[in-house]
PDB file of all heavy atoms in Angstrom:
ATOM      1  N   GLU A 817     -18.702   7.798   1.589  1.00  0.00           N
ATOM      2  CA  GLU A 817     -19.912   8.395   1.036  1.00  0.00           C
ATOM      3  C   GLU A 817     -21.190   7.856   1.668  1.00  0.00           C
ATOM      4  O   GLU A 817     -22.160   8.595   1.855  1.00  0.00           O
ATOM      5  CB  GLU A 817     -19.957   8.178  -0.482  1.00  0.00           C
ATOM      6  CG  GLU A 817     -18.811   8.843  -1.221  1.00  0.00           C
ATOM      7  CD  GLU A 817     -18.821   8.546  -2.702  1.00  0.00           C
ATOM      8  OE1 GLU A 817     -19.895   8.182  -3.241  1.00  0.00           O
ATOM      9  OE2 GLU A 817     -17.744   8.648  -3.334  1.00  0.00           O
ATOM     10  N   GLU A 818     -21.215   6.580   1.991  1.00  0.00           N
ATOM     11  CA  GLU A 818     -22.427   5.985   2.549  1.00  0.00           C
ATOM     12  C   GLU A 818     -22.473   6.046   4.070  1.00  0.00           C
ATOM     13  O   GLU A 818     -23.525   6.262   4.659  1.00  0.00           O
ATOM     14  CB  GLU A 818     -22.559   4.524   2.095  1.00  0.00           C
ATOM     15  CG  GLU A 818     -22.829   4.351   0.622  1.00  0.00           C
ATOM     16  CD  GLU A 818     -24.211   4.833   0.207  1.00  0.00           C
ATOM     17  OE1 GLU A 818     -25.129   4.810   1.053  1.00  0.00           O
ATOM     18  OE2 GLU A 818     -24.361   5.262  -0.946  1.00  0.00           O
ATOM     19  N   LEU A 819     -21.318   5.835   4.708  1.00  0.00           N
ATOM     20  CA  LEU A 819     -21.292   5.740   6.162  1.00  0.00           C
ATOM     21  C   LEU A 819     -20.697   6.965   6.842  1.00  0.00           C
ATOM     22  O   LEU A 819     -20.795   7.106   8.062  1.00  0.00           O
ATOM     23  CB  LEU A 819     -20.527   4.486   6.587  1.00  0.00           C
ATOM     24  CG  LEU A 819     -21.145   3.155   6.142  1.00  0.00           C
ATOM     25  CD1 LEU A 819     -20.227   1.996   6.503  1.00  0.00           C
ATOM     26  CD2 LEU A 819     -22.518   2.969   6.778  1.00  0.00           C
ATOM     27  N   GLY A 820     -20.052   7.836   6.061  1.00  0.00           N
ATOM     28  CA  GLY A 820     -19.476   9.052   6.632  1.00  0.00           C
ATOM     29  C   GLY A 820     -18.340   8.786   7.593  1.00  0.00           C
ATOM     30  O   GLY A 820     -18.132   9.535   8.554  1.00  0.00           O
ATOM     31  N   ILE A 821     -17.551   7.738   7.346  1.00  0.00           N
ATOM     32  CA  ILE A 821     -16.457   7.363   8.234  1.00  0.00           C
ATOM     33  C   ILE A 821     -15.155   7.980   7.738  1.00  0.00           C
ATOM     34  O   ILE A 821     -14.756   7.768   6.580  1.00  0.00           O
ATOM     35  CB  ILE A 821     -16.310   5.833   8.310  1.00  0.00           C
ATOM     36  CG1 ILE A 821     -17.573   5.213   8.909  1.00  0.00           C
ATOM     37  CG2 ILE A 821     -15.082   5.450   9.122  1.00  0.00           C
ATOM     38  CD1 ILE A 821     -17.573   3.710   8.903  1.00  0.00           C
ATOM     39  N   ALA A 822     -14.486   8.711   8.606  1.00  0.00           N
ATOM     40  CA  ALA A 822     -13.183   9.281   8.243  1.00  0.00           C
ATOM     41  C   ALA A 822     -12.142   8.172   8.227  1.00  0.00           C
ATOM     42  O   ALA A 822     -12.150   7.275   9.061  1.00  0.00           O
ATOM     43  CB  ALA A 822     -12.788  10.355   9.252  1.00  0.00           C
ATOM     44  N   GLY A 823     -11.257   8.234   7.251  1.00  0.00           N
ATOM     45  CA  GLY A 823     -10.210   7.219   7.195  1.00  0.00           C
ATOM     46  C   GLY A 823      -9.406   7.323   5.927  1.00  0.00           C
ATOM     47  O   GLY A 823      -9.719   8.103   5.026  1.00  0.00           O
ATOM     48  N   GLY A 824      -8.349   6.529   5.861  1.00  0.00           N
ATOM     49  CA  GLY A 824      -7.452   6.561   4.719  1.00  0.00           C
ATOM     50  C   GLY A 824      -7.701   5.419   3.760  1.00  0.00           C
ATOM     51  O   GLY A 824      -8.773   4.809   3.752  1.00  0.00           O
ATOM     52  N   ARG A 825      -6.684   5.127   2.982  1.00  0.00           N
ATOM     53  CA  ARG A 825      -6.819   4.145   1.919  1.00  0.00           C
ATOM     54  C   ARG A 825      -6.022   2.864   2.137  1.00  0.00           C
ATOM     55  O   ARG A 825      -6.282   1.858   1.486  1.00  0.00           O
ATOM     56  CB  ARG A 825      -6.384   4.773   0.588  1.00  0.00           C
ATOM     57  CG  ARG A 825      -7.373   5.761   0.010  1.00  0.00           C
ATOM     58  CD  ARG A 825      -6.856   6.340  -1.305  1.00  0.00           C
ATOM     59  NE  ARG A 825      -7.940   6.916  -2.087  1.00  0.00           N
ATOM     60  CZ  ARG A 825      -8.431   8.136  -1.926  1.00  0.00           C
ATOM     61  NH1 ARG A 825      -7.913   8.921  -0.979  1.00  0.00           N
ATOM     62  NH2 ARG A 825      -9.412   8.573  -2.673  1.00  0.00           N
ATOM     63  N   GLN A 826      -5.043   2.875   3.030  1.00  0.00           N
ATOM     64  CA  GLN A 826      -4.110   1.756   3.080  1.00  0.00           C
ATOM     65  C   GLN A 826      -4.783   0.421   3.346  1.00  0.00           C
ATOM     66  O   GLN A 826      -4.404  -0.600   2.760  1.00  0.00           O
ATOM     67  CB  GLN A 826      -3.023   2.019   4.121  1.00  0.00           C
ATOM     68  CG  GLN A 826      -3.487   2.049   5.567  1.00  0.00           C
ATOM     69  CD  GLN A 826      -2.463   1.437   6.514  1.00  0.00           C
ATOM     70  OE1 GLN A 826      -1.838   0.414   6.206  1.00  0.00           O
ATOM     71  NE2 GLN A 826      -2.282   2.078   7.660  1.00  0.00           N
ATOM     72  N   ASP A 827      -5.789   0.398   4.226  1.00  0.00           N
ATOM     73  CA  ASP A 827      -6.424  -0.868   4.589  1.00  0.00           C
ATOM     74  C   ASP A 827      -7.113  -1.518   3.398  1.00  0.00           C
ATOM     75  O   ASP A 827      -7.078  -2.741   3.215  1.00  0.00           O
ATOM     76  CB  ASP A 827      -7.448  -0.652   5.701  1.00  0.00           C
ATOM     77  CG  ASP A 827      -6.831  -0.138   6.986  1.00  0.00           C
ATOM     78  OD1 ASP A 827      -5.584  -0.093   7.074  1.00  0.00           O
ATOM     79  OD2 ASP A 827      -7.596   0.226   7.889  1.00  0.00           O
ATOM     80  N   HIS A 828      -7.765  -0.695   2.578  1.00  0.00           N
ATOM     81  CA  HIS A 828      -8.473  -1.206   1.409  1.00  0.00           C
ATOM     82  C   HIS A 828      -7.492  -1.821   0.403  1.00  0.00           C
ATOM     83  O   HIS A 828      -7.764  -2.874  -0.184  1.00  0.00           O
ATOM     84  CB  HIS A 828      -9.275  -0.081   0.754  1.00  0.00           C
ATOM     85  CG  HIS A 828     -10.206   0.623   1.689  1.00  0.00           C
ATOM     86  ND1 HIS A 828     -11.460   0.146   2.005  1.00  0.00           N
ATOM     87  CD2 HIS A 828     -10.046   1.766   2.415  1.00  0.00           C
ATOM     88  CE1 HIS A 828     -12.045   0.970   2.862  1.00  0.00           C
ATOM     89  NE2 HIS A 828     -11.209   1.958   3.122  1.00  0.00           N
ATOM     90  N   TYR A 829      -6.361  -1.165   0.221  1.00  0.00           N
ATOM     91  CA  TYR A 829      -5.377  -1.666  -0.738  1.00  0.00           C
ATOM     92  C   TYR A 829      -4.726  -2.958  -0.241  1.00  0.00           C
ATOM     93  O   TYR A 829      -4.475  -3.881  -1.024  1.00  0.00           O
ATOM     94  CB  TYR A 829      -4.331  -0.592  -1.029  1.00  0.00           C
ATOM     95  CG  TYR A 829      -4.815   0.416  -2.055  1.00  0.00           C
ATOM     96  CD1 TYR A 829      -5.673   1.443  -1.700  1.00  0.00           C
ATOM     97  CD2 TYR A 829      -4.449   0.310  -3.393  1.00  0.00           C
ATOM     98  CE1 TYR A 829      -6.152   2.353  -2.642  1.00  0.00           C
ATOM     99  CE2 TYR A 829      -4.912   1.210  -4.349  1.00  0.00           C
ATOM    100  CZ  TYR A 829      -5.763   2.228  -3.963  1.00  0.00           C
ATOM    101  OH  TYR A 829      -6.241   3.111  -4.917  1.00  0.00           O
TER     102      TYR A 829
END
Side-chain angles (χ1 to χ4, degrees):
E817 297 176 22
E818 292 291 332
L819 297 174
I821 297 175
R825 286 180 161 83
Q826 67 143 320
D827 297 352
H828 306 277
Y829 279 79

